[in-house]
Amino acid sequence: MFDHYEPVEPAYDEAFAAPGKPRGAMASTIACFESMGLADVRKRKRLADQAFRDLGVTFLVHGDARGVERTLPFDPIPRVITASDWALLERGLEQRVRALNAFLGDVYGQQRILKDGRVPRDVVLGSGGFLAAVHGVRPRGGVYIHVAGIDVIRRPDGEFAVLEDNLRTPSGVSYVLENRKVMKRLFPQALSRNDVRPVDEYPARLREALSSLVPGGSARGVVLTPGPYNSAYFEHCFLARQMGCGLVQGSDLAVRSDGVFMRTTHGLAQVDVIYRRIDDAFLDPETFRADSLIGVPGLVRAYAAGTVVVANGIGNGVADDKSVYPFVPEMVRFYLDETPLLRQVETFRCGTPRDRDYVLANLASLVVKAVGGAGGYGMLVGPAATRKERSAFADRIRANGAEYIAQPLIELATCPTLLPARVAPRRVDLRPYVVTGRSSWVLPGGLTRVAMRNGSYVVNSSQGGGSKDTWVLADSAA
């Protein structure tokens, strides 16, 4: 399978240090796949694809007028991370989430970091994610970020770095759990050769974290979904089922005397925890968009009164705004008095004249992203773009620079990926999940997303990306 596999320079290849020289952590897995043979692995992959279709592990592509549900492309060759590499990443993720949570508590409180000039006031207060309606509101336990999905890349030197923070309604964890189930069923011999840390405790950990913020620890929880037409509806159903929570839509809930109640066949039942998968703008028509039919009227009042845990917190978008991202290391130093453990990517804010001029002069070597963009939309990969595309983006930046940031094109790490004709390297990123209640826990591994198209740097499912199982080795396997 791997005889003709050649790592792509200068990318860090997760499996091979050089052609024919597997890295120690991957050696047993590569040997196992070699022993199965390409034909057998292809057969098992077809069975995995069928299993995903049968289980309904699907997503909807945003903007697809056909409304066709698709299964996420699955690659059976796992990504392996050593215990020592994971230990450093885990500590860095916990530190980052602590700092971001402190930042949210501050900007919706005394705003010390703005008064001290450590983060520009206009960047924060001008962010579309900053919601004045919840200024002064402190959620139960002071926890704003109950679930963080931190997008991480591996640089050519092998060091992990944070690319983006997702602190509102991060998705994808259902694929992590389903990928592992399929690997256990179809590739048990590969798993048995390694001491891989489990991931199936995630739903219980999430429920436990959310319940820990409710006095007495006994909580009635629900998953609030916008409904079956949402691209991540499968995940909403999956998590509600796995957590033992009700799956509800806005019309199933009502606010009475600043408490939230669920309509049941026996009448109204008070709700203590809402794991919401609805964006802020649509969450409460009394406070935000009055035309929202998927929200809960009065929910912000109940949230402000402290009668219900809303996860994630309302207004978190200001902390994962792409124009705020450059200042996260400063948050770590300001709030925690610590040195940041994780690097991040150099970022140019096109709203500042100096950065804007640099970006316009170097578009051919930069990646430009819309501050409010997501899913691989609203971005320009300069080295892969045409002159016409770069010119059009330059006009947008000149017209409204504050809406864009730019970063150098980082050569993402690669992993062996099963393609129709062969096994070849494809670029990957990683989205670990950090769950926080009274304490924090990091899911061992997370979602490895794969840019399935040759030469592509875009790993998002909506842009043709796929996923693979992520194996974090236990200490004994490091």
Side-chain angles (χ1 to χ4, degrees):
M1 285 183 64
F2 302 94
D3 284 350
H4 303 290
Y5 184 87
E6 293 190 11
V8 179
E9 296 286 347
Y12 181 91
D13 193 88
E14 299 273 355
F16 288 86
K21 295 183 178 179
R23 298 188 188 277
M26 274 291 288
S28 65
T29 301
I30 289 170
C32 182
F33 274 77
E34 288 279 22
S35 68
M36 284 187 281
L38 190 56
D40 189 18
V41 172
R42 288 193 191 284
K43 178 181 177 182
R44 296 179 195 223
K45 183 196 179 322
R46 288 194 295 271
L47 291 172
D49 293 340
Q50 184 61 52
F52 286 134
R53 285 192 292 272
D54 292 345
L55 289 168
V57 185
T58 60
F59 67 97
L60 282 169
V61 176
H62 176 72
D64 187 343
R66 297 171 298 172
V68 177
E69 291 192 353
R70 305 180 188 179
T71 55
L72 187 68
F74 171 71
D75 183 67
I77 303 172
R79 177 189 201 170
V80 178
I81 300 175
T82 65
S84 57
D85 282 350
W86 180 254
L88 176 59
L89 180 56
E90 184 177 48
R91 290 197 302 274
L93 292 168
E94 290 176 340
Q95 179 194 60
R96 190 175 182 93
V97 171
R98 278 190 290 125
L100 285 163
N101 197 80
F103 170 73
L104 284 164
D106 186 22
V107 297
Y108 286 116
Q110 297 179 352
Q111 301 185 342
R112 292 186 301 116
I113 202 167
L114 306 186
K115 293 173 183 175
D116 284 11
R118 308 286 279 272
V119 178
R121 179 179 295 272
D122 63 313
V123 169
V124 173
L125 302 186
S127 166
F130 178 78
L131 302 181
V134 291
H135 186 247
V137 175
R138 182 174 174 80
R140 279 187 175 178
V143 179
Y144 295 81
I145 308 169
H146 307 83
V147 181
I150 311 294
D151 290 347
V152 176
I153 61 172
R154 201 163 198 172
R155 305 171 66 96
D157 60 5
E159 186 177 355
F160 286 108
V162 174
L163 183 64
E164 190 171 290
D165 302 294
N166 298 280
L167 311 175
R168 286 169 278 182
T169 56
S171 62
V173 75
S174 59
Y175 300 125
V176 176
L177 305 184
E178 292 292 0
N179 285 351
R180 180 61 57 84
K181 286 181 185 177
V182 164
M183 291 298 290
K184 284 180 178 179
R185 287 171 53 192
L186 298 177
F187 297 90
Q189 59 272 61
L191 270 163
S192 67
R193 291 193 183 192
N194 296 278
D195 189 2
V196 180
R197 292 181 61 182
V199 297
D200 51 2
E201 61 184 305
Y202 177 89
R205 288 275 194 169
L206 177 55
R207 174 154 191 159
E208 178 183 312
L210 298 178
S211 296
S212 73
L213 300 172
V214 176
S218 177
R220 174 181 281 110
V222 296
V223 175
L224 176 60
T225 176
Y229 295 105
N230 184 266
S231 61
Y233 184 66
F234 164 79
E235 179 160 292
H236 306 167
C237 299
F238 176 88
L239 288 174
R241 183 172 61 252
Q242 295 294 317
M243 293 167 65
C245 293
L247 179 70
V248 300
Q249 294 182 236
S251 58
D252 298 316
L253 300 178
V255 175
R256 301 285 187 271
S257 302
D258 292 342
V260 181
F261 294 81
M262 178 172 57
R263 293 183 172 93
T264 75
T265 54
H266 300 290
L268 296 178
Q270 186 157 9
V271 172
D272 304 296
V273 174
I274 299 175
Y275 178 36
R276 53 88 171 225
R277 299 299 293 264
I278 295 177
D279 292 341
D280 286 339
F282 301 96
L283 199 54
D284 180 352
E286 284 187 4
T287 303
F288 303 121
R289 287 188 55 159
D291 61 346
S292 173
L293 300 178
I294 59 175
V296 183
L299 181 58
V300 172
R301 281 191 285 108
Y303 177 68
T307 62
V308 65
V309 174
V310 178
N312 277 341
I314 302 172
N316 278 16
V318 67
D320 66 13
D321 187 303
K322 291 179 177 63
S323 61
V324 171
Y325 162 91
F327 301 99
V328 177
E330 187 61 28
M331 295 176 199
V332 173
R333 289 185 282 266
F334 183 79
Y335 296 114
L336 310 182
D337 194 24
E338 297 174 4
T339 300
L341 296 174
L342 293 177
R343 296 171 63 183
Q344 57 182 52
V345 179
E346 182 182 16
T347 301
F348 303 96
R349 296 187 296 118
C350 298
T352 62
R354 182 178 178 180
D355 282 6
R356 181 174 62 247
D357 291 344
Y358 176 84
V359 170
L360 291 172
N362 294 275
L363 272 180
S365 62
L366 298 171
V367 176
V368 184
K369 302 176 182 178
V371 167
Y377 296 100
M379 66 183 291
L380 174 85
V381 181
T386 65
R387 182 176 298 178
K388 182 178 180 181
E389 289 169 336
R390 291 196 294 268
S391 177
F393 239 85
D395 290 341
R396 296 182 205 172
I397 293 170
R398 292 189 188 97
N400 198 354
E403 292 299 313
Y404 296 93
I405 57 98
Q407 298 169 326
L409 180 65
I410 303 297
E411 189 59 61
L412 305 183
T414 56
C415 279
T417 304
L418 184 65
L419 304 175
R422 61 196 172 100
V423 173
R426 288 293 183 266
R427 295 181 177 94
V428 296
D429 77 349
L430 177 65
R431 177 176 289 181
Y433 297 87
V434 185
V435 174
T436 301
R438 293 294 178 187
S439 59
S440 289
W441 172 78
V442 185
L443 175 69
L447 180 65
T448 289
R449 300 184 296 180
V450 187
M452 302 296 287
R453 297 170 183 165
N454 186 29
S456 176
Y457 287 80
V458 183
V459 298
N460 305 81
S461 57
S462 56
Q463 305 289 310
S467 74
K468 60 169 69 207
D469 198 9
T470 309
W471 294 0
V472 173
L473 301 182
D475 290 338
S476 59

